[in-house]
Amino acid sequence: MNEFAESYWCFLPYPVLYKIFQHLTYQELNSAGQVCKFWYEVSLDELLWKELFFKHFLVDPTIPVLSGRTWYNEFKRLCYHIPVVQTETIVDHDDQVLHVSFSHNGKYFATCSKDGYVLLCTSKYPVNVKYVRNMKSFKWKYTQYSQFNESDTLLLVSGVHFGTTHSTSGEIAVFNLDGFELQCRVVNKPYDIFGTWYSDQYLLSGDIHWLAHLVSSSYLWLNKASQEAESELVPITHCLYRFYNRHASSIRAIMIANCLPNSENVNRVVEREVGEPSQGQGSSSQHGNPVSHNDLRWLPCDMRVDLCNEMFETMEIDFPYPIWYNAQYRKVEFETNSANERIEEMHMLEDSEDNNSETSCEADSDRYVTTDKYLIFTTGFKTYTPHQIGFKRIKPFVFPKTMDLGPSLKERLILFEQRKEQMKSGSPPPDPDWLDFDQVSEKFDKIDHLIDLHGHIVGMGLSPDHRYLYVNSRSWPENYVISNPLDPPPIAQEIDIHVIDLVTMEQVGTMLKSHKAFSPNNECFFIFLDVGNEYVASGAEDKHGYLWDRHYGACLAKYPHTDVVNSVAFNPKDPEMLVTTSDDCTIKIWRSRAKANELGLDQSAFQKGIELRKGKSLPNKRFR
């Protein structure tokens, strides 16, 4: 009788077996598929895995599977191929670790810290610290940011000078990766402009000049990474832009993006001026700790999220909400997915050719930039805290063959004496009224486009294809009137993530309550995020890093530290590797279960990230 029953189960009709399998968990479904070939076939039914996928990862059921993927493979990817195993921990820094960045080839990553050091590490398991440089020998207080150039031959390191409490002086240093020798140093002020590569051999830095009360000018300088002067203390620079700042704001957090060929803003300059804040109204009575989103009725995006969606009724209070994209984003994603796959294949071939060829080329080849680029930065109009994202389109140009070294000390003394003589001989020309922008506007470069996020911007990350900009911000209360630019509005405790399409310059996605922050406006600091082809990750002040899937929007994992997580970074050649850095002075390396098995590691011996999904925790065994 038992043998008959067993054989009977093997011959159940497909619809009956499918109905039974609908009641199984994904672990049980995997086990059932090992009974026989017929059960294996039914266990891979796409509708079964689609239902499990939406239920398990709390994904909006209207979102289609990625082109060329199956729901089973996508379920497997989000369970087995996301970085979640803490395979290594680096404790070489003695103070808060502020930033981490990867080389484009994925071989190295660099970290910056308040201990004044910059570390260059190899990413191959086990991670090894290759170079260490103490920047305090250059009168740096600490290092704060780093970035590799396009050819991965140079590393830009940004830092903060020693000085008074209110000093904003900083500096950028460039090191080569062959011996980690110093190539150049340039002044960078304010230091939170960070600096960025414009091309492989040229970088951008900043400087600020005060013109009047709460009014200044931000200069952006083009610098050559390899100095031709006798000393690296003499920068070779060229002034690229000069922007007008009001209300004690300034240009900060600059980055460069390649303009896509189908940009709708190629020949368009937005002439709309942001209005002045209303006058004559009293300031808000809200003081003390930043308000929570529970106290706000205003959502910072034109899309409204249904916070009472049935899909989230059973969620825990601290469960992060997903990224919500509008129809425009989904349409573009669908239309470009196959094209992006072809581009990635081409890039893989190019990378292979580059690896097999010499990287050296003519010294002047990098002087010619043939494509348009966007200069992206944060700024402010109503208050000194950065609440706007500015865009300036940079047309192709040829870098000056001989860049300006600036006047020598002797020449500056001569000019000073000449001005003194002019003052004695007659009345000096009157200074312009710097407070009247209309009177002095011709002296400054115009910003092409401004996007106001109505909140304190605390982080930005660019997608690998340079199509989308992801922004961390902390919202202001709705209709808050700023009467004093030095007294910005209270900010929400939760950090929102906004997604901006750099082709249309429109916001196409948002995520509310993505992760938490607790510092007030005057102590708010940058929380870096990173964007890969498949995932988005961000640090947070709640002692965790976070990981989301870009396509489905679901929050997949949290990475625990014992203090604020300042920065996260994906390996650009290995999305299954993530690095997080924290105020707890540690650097944690996270790899996927698949990578851990590939490396022959016993996963039970390692700490795991916190996986955010509905149902039982994932066992360590592999999907079949």
Side-chain angles (χ1 to χ4, degrees):
M1 184 67 180
N2 291 336
E3 292 180 0
F4 175 79
E6 291 176 4
S7 61
Y8 176 80
W9 278 103
C10 292
F11 289 100
L12 281 176
Y14 195 111
V16 175
L17 198 58
Y18 174 87
K19 194 69 175 177
I20 295 172
F21 281 5
Q22 280 185 306
H23 298 279
L24 302 181
T25 65
Y26 71 93
Q27 298 101 325
E28 294 168 341
L29 189 58
N30 267 326
S31 298
Q34 299 175 16
V35 171
C36 63
K37 290 183 179 179
F38 179 58
W39 282 33
Y40 175 75
E41 179 184 347
V42 179
S43 71
L44 291 181
D45 189 285
E46 273 290 272
L47 291 179
L48 282 174
W49 285 102
K50 180 179 180 180
E51 185 178 342
L52 278 172
F53 188 92
F54 289 136
K55 179 180 178 181
H56 199 69
F57 295 104
L58 299 174
V59 173
D60 183 351
T62 63
I63 300 175
V65 70
L66 274 171
S67 176
R69 311 275 183 93
T70 66
W71 287 112
Y72 170 78
N73 286 333
E74 287 296 85
F75 197 106
K76 179 179 177 180
R77 175 174 68 86
L78 299 192
C79 281
Y80 195 62
H81 291 278
I82 63 171
V84 74
V85 182
Q86 185 187 329
T87 56
E88 299 117 296
T89 303
I90 300 175
V91 293
D92 290 51
H93 283 297
D94 296 329
D95 207 334
Q96 302 169 6
V97 189
L98 303 179
H99 188 253
V100 57
S101 65
F102 264 96
S103 60
H104 299 81
N105 58 22
K107 294 180 179 179
Y108 304 102
F109 64 87
T111 59
C112 297
S113 169
K114 281 197 172 181
D115 63 7
Y117 284 81
V118 56
L119 304 184
L120 182 70
C121 306
T122 59
S123 60
K124 185 178 179 181
Y125 182 86
V127 163
N128 178 54
V129 178
K130 185 174 183 179
Y131 295 116
V132 179
R133 179 60 72 104
N134 182 7
M135 299 305 293
K136 287 186 176 180
S137 61
F138 298 110
K139 297 182 175 58
W140 285 26
K141 188 176 182 180
Y142 57 85
T143 58
Q144 63 171 353
Y145 177 81
S146 65
Q147 187 183 51
F148 291 82
N149 69 340
E150 295 172 2
S151 62
D152 293 325
T153 57
L154 300 173
L155 178 68
L156 176 157
V157 181
S158 173
V160 178
H161 279 148
F162 278 108
T164 62
T165 305
H166 301 290
S167 173
T168 61
S169 178
E171 192 172 54
I172 295 173
V174 175
F175 296 93
N176 63 45
L177 299 193
D178 184 15
F180 218 55
E181 298 296 326
L182 182 66
Q183 297 290 117
C184 74
R185 290 165 56 195
V186 295
V187 173
N188 192 43
K189 186 176 182 180
Y191 55 75
D192 53 3
I193 206 168
F194 295 127
T196 188
W197 290 103
Y198 181 80
S199 62
D200 193 60
Q201 297 294 320
Y202 292 85
L203 61 134
L204 294 179
S205 65
D207 197 6
I208 188 169
H209 298 278
W210 288 98
L211 305 174
H213 180 60
L214 302 183
V215 173
S216 65
S217 176
S218 286
Y219 289 76
L220 291 184
W221 295 91
L222 185 67
N223 309 271
K224 191 170 183 180
S226 299
Q227 294 294 325
E228 296 172 349
E230 294 181 0
S231 169
E232 75 279 359
L233 296 175
V234 182
I236 301 176
T237 60
H238 173 74
C239 186
L240 193 62
Y241 292 118
R242 185 187 182 196
F243 295 112
Y244 182 87
N245 304 318
R246 66 193 79 198
H247 294 157
S249 66
S250 65
I251 302 297
R252 309 183 192 183
I254 60 174
M255 60 172 58
I256 291 291
N258 295 321
C259 292
L260 299 182
N262 60 337
S263 173
E264 297 176 8
N265 301 283
V266 174
N267 298 313
R268 181 169 66 89
V269 174
V270 177
E271 298 178 352
R272 176 180 58 86
E273 289 288 343
V274 181
E276 289 281 351
S278 302
Q279 301 294 328
Q281 298 186 36
S283 60
S284 171
S285 60
Q286 291 178 296
H287 296 287
N289 293 327
V291 295
S292 167
H293 260 297
N294 296 327
D295 304 320
L296 302 180
R297 295 189 298 272
W298 176 69
L299 302 185
C301 180
D302 59 357
M303 295 170 293
R304 294 299 187 264
V305 179
D306 182 6
L307 301 181
C308 298
N309 191 304
E310 292 181 1
M311 185 168 61
F312 300 102
E313 285 182 354
T314 59
M315 284 174 49
E316 297 178 3
I317 295 176
D318 291 333
F319 198 104
Y321 281 84
I323 307 172
W324 296 83
Y325 296 105
N326 64 13
Q328 177 185 328
Y329 176 90
R330 293 299 181 190
K331 180 181 179 182
V332 172
E333 182 187 49
F334 176 78
E335 293 174 346
T336 61
N337 186 65
S338 58
N340 287 341
E341 289 177 358
R342 292 194 296 270
I343 292 173
E344 287 177 11
E345 291 175 1
M346 293 173 60
H347 285 174
M348 290 177 66
L349 292 173
E350 291 173 359
D351 291 342
S352 176
E353 293 172 359
D354 291 341
N355 291 334
N356 296 327
S357 62
E358 295 293 330
T359 57
S360 61
C361 54
E362 295 183 9
D364 286 346
S365 62
D366 196 53
R367 291 177 54 236
Y368 304 95
V369 178
T370 58
T371 58
D372 286 18
K373 292 178 180 286
Y374 272 129
L375 171 67
I376 305 173
F377 50 87
T378 65
T379 185
F381 184 93
K382 302 174 182 178
T383 177
Y384 73 92
T385 58
H387 58 93
Q388 293 175 315
I389 303 172
F391 299 88
K392 181 68 177 178
R393 196 178 187 101
I394 309 175
K395 295 291 186 179
F397 68 95
V398 179
F399 293 110
K401 203 164 189 177
T402 303
M403 301 183 76
D404 184 14
L405 293 178
S408 65
L409 177 60
K410 183 178 180 180
E411 291 170 334
R412 288 198 296 269
L413 289 173
I414 293 174
L415 290 172
F416 179 72
E417 292 298 326
Q418 290 176 347
R419 291 194 191 98
K420 283 178 64 178
E421 291 299 322
Q422 291 175 359
M423 295 282 285
K424 292 178 182 178
S425 61
S427 59
D431 288 332
D433 182 3
W434 297 110
L435 296 174
D436 185 354
F437 177 72
D438 293 334
Q439 184 183 136
V440 299
S441 60
E442 294 183 357
K443 299 178 181 292
F444 302 94
D445 295 285
K446 292 183 178 179
I447 298 175
D448 292 342
H449 192 69
L450 281 172
I451 296 178
D452 199 321
L453 294 185
H454 304 283
H456 194 139
I457 298 170
V458 293
M460 296 196 298
L462 195 62
S463 65
D465 60 0
H466 289 203
R467 175 67 189 260
Y468 298 102
L469 181 69
Y470 286 69
V471 185
N472 275 336
S473 77
R474 297 173 60 183
S475 296
W476 292 342
E478 185 179 10
N479 300 323
Y480 189 96
V481 176
I482 302 174
S483 58
N484 181 358
L486 297 180
D487 185 19
I491 49 179
Q493 287 185 345
E494 294 86 0
I495 296 177
D496 301 331
I497 292 181
H498 306 264
V499 187
I500 297 170
D501 187 337
L502 298 186
V503 169
T504 63
M505 289 297 168
E506 295 178 356
Q507 190 170 176
V508 295
T510 189
M511 181 187 345
L512 302 182
K513 300 172 63 175
S514 60
H515 43 305
K516 290 185 177 181
F518 305 99
S519 56
N521 245 331
N522 58 345
E523 298 176 6
C524 203
F525 50 87
F526 232 61
I527 296 292
F528 292 93
L529 49 75
D530 194 25
V531 186
N533 288 319
E534 295 182 323
Y535 307 108
V536 179
S538 177
E541 291 187 40
D542 63 3
K543 305 179 183 179
H544 290 87
Y546 287 82
L547 176 74
W548 293 268
D549 182 85
R550 274 188 66 186
H551 175 69
Y552 302 107
C555 188
L556 302 174
K558 295 168 65 175
Y559 303 100
H561 279 261
T562 58
D563 210 331
V564 174
V565 176
N566 295 303
S567 180
V568 295
F570 294 105
N571 186 327
K573 295 299 182 182
D574 181 8
E576 299 181 33
M577 177 185 181
L578 177 74
V579 177
T580 59
T581 68
S582 170
D583 279 0
D584 63 13
C585 310
T586 65
I587 305 162
K588 293 186 177 183
I589 292 86
W590 308 85
R591 303 180 195 268
S592 68
R593 289 185 171 86
K595 286 294 179 182
N597 282 347
E598 185 181 313
L599 294 168
L601 302 179
D602 179 8
Q603 295 183 34
S604 63
F606 297 93
Q607 296 291 324
K608 306 287 193 310
I610 303 168
E611 293 175 86
L612 302 175
R613 57 177 67 119
K614 190 176 180 181
K616 299 178 181 178
S617 60
L618 183 74
N620 289 332
K621 64 181 182 180
R622 176 196 295 266
F623 270 76
R624 66 180 184 280

